[in-house]
Amino acid sequence: SYTYNTMISACAAGAQVDEAERLYAEMKSERREECLPTRVTFNALLDVYGKAKDLEKAKTVIREMVLQGQSPNRVTYNELMSAFAQQGHWQEAEELFNAMEGHWGLHPDVFSFSTLLSAYSRAGEVSKVEPLLLKMNAYGCPPNLITYNTLVDVYGRSGMLKEMEGVMEEMERCGCTPDIVTWNTLIRSYGQAQNQEGMVNAIQRLMGSGCRPRIRTYSTLIDAYTACGMADDALSVYRSMKEAGHTPNTLTLLSLLSPLGQAGKWKEAEEIAETVRRVKGVQL
RNA sequence: CCUAUAAG
């Protein structure tokens, strides 16, 4: 069972629905007691459907689970909420959040709260955030790094930079050390707000933090510099990235198009666009 | 053994 569960769970990364269903069927056909699907199996399957954005099938898993005499747990609900959150359906996510308590007496945990926050973030529902934080506190559920990162994200996306920095201060007060996700989010937010001073300052904070930039960090930097009209800096990020031994991916290349255009380097921009078209079926 | 956050 553990083996099957692990393999099904591994299908989530690539949204390999067919493979997951194959494994699930194979599992049932093994008549051994030790290989029957458990709640963890259903959760793993539900996660695969969620990652594949198949909300209908994801919902079906709960029914199937109940039919087989298994009850959903917090993980089940958190995964389903997450599936809705990814699609921007914050109302459905909220309903599930309430239903998990109402129908099964399951108390939300820090995953539940962070997931609902991310649903609000994607939908730009900032006004929902404060009340949820109060509820979190009332439940005695302390925020963790991911919760804080999600909060930085909500406020950053909405251009509420003061509130965003407030979250950074609270993290510091609580001894929660920012990670590379925090910095990427912060930099992106200032870039999106075209706040050059804040952006440059955020980049310095990243560099002083000791966090290692990831491939995503570089495209975030390129985008942010470009948004602030600093095409030359954006292009030099690309050089440092290659010097640091990172291989550009499609998203990196796409990020390069605007600074190249901004700098009037149309020929190079066209070459990159052509490369992207060749390796990927992307529409530009 | 399963779940939450960041780049076009």
Side-chain angles (χ1 to χ4, degrees), chain A residues 43 51-52 63 75 132 140 148 217 241 254 262:
Chain A
N43 287 347
K51 296 287 193 306
R63 296 188 223 297
V75 173
L132 189 64
Y148 285 123
T217 309
M241 175 186 140
L254 288 175
Q262 216 174 83

Side-chain angles (χ1 to χ4, degrees), chain A residues 4 17 58 61 68 108 140 149-150 152 203 212 217 251 258 260-261 270 273 280:
Chain A
Y4 277 112
V17 172
V61 175
Q68 307 222 5
N149 285 344
T150 310
V152 170
I203 293 171
R212 276 190 18 148
T217 309
L251 293 163
S258 342
L260 284 172
E270 183 45 52
K280 199 101 179 172

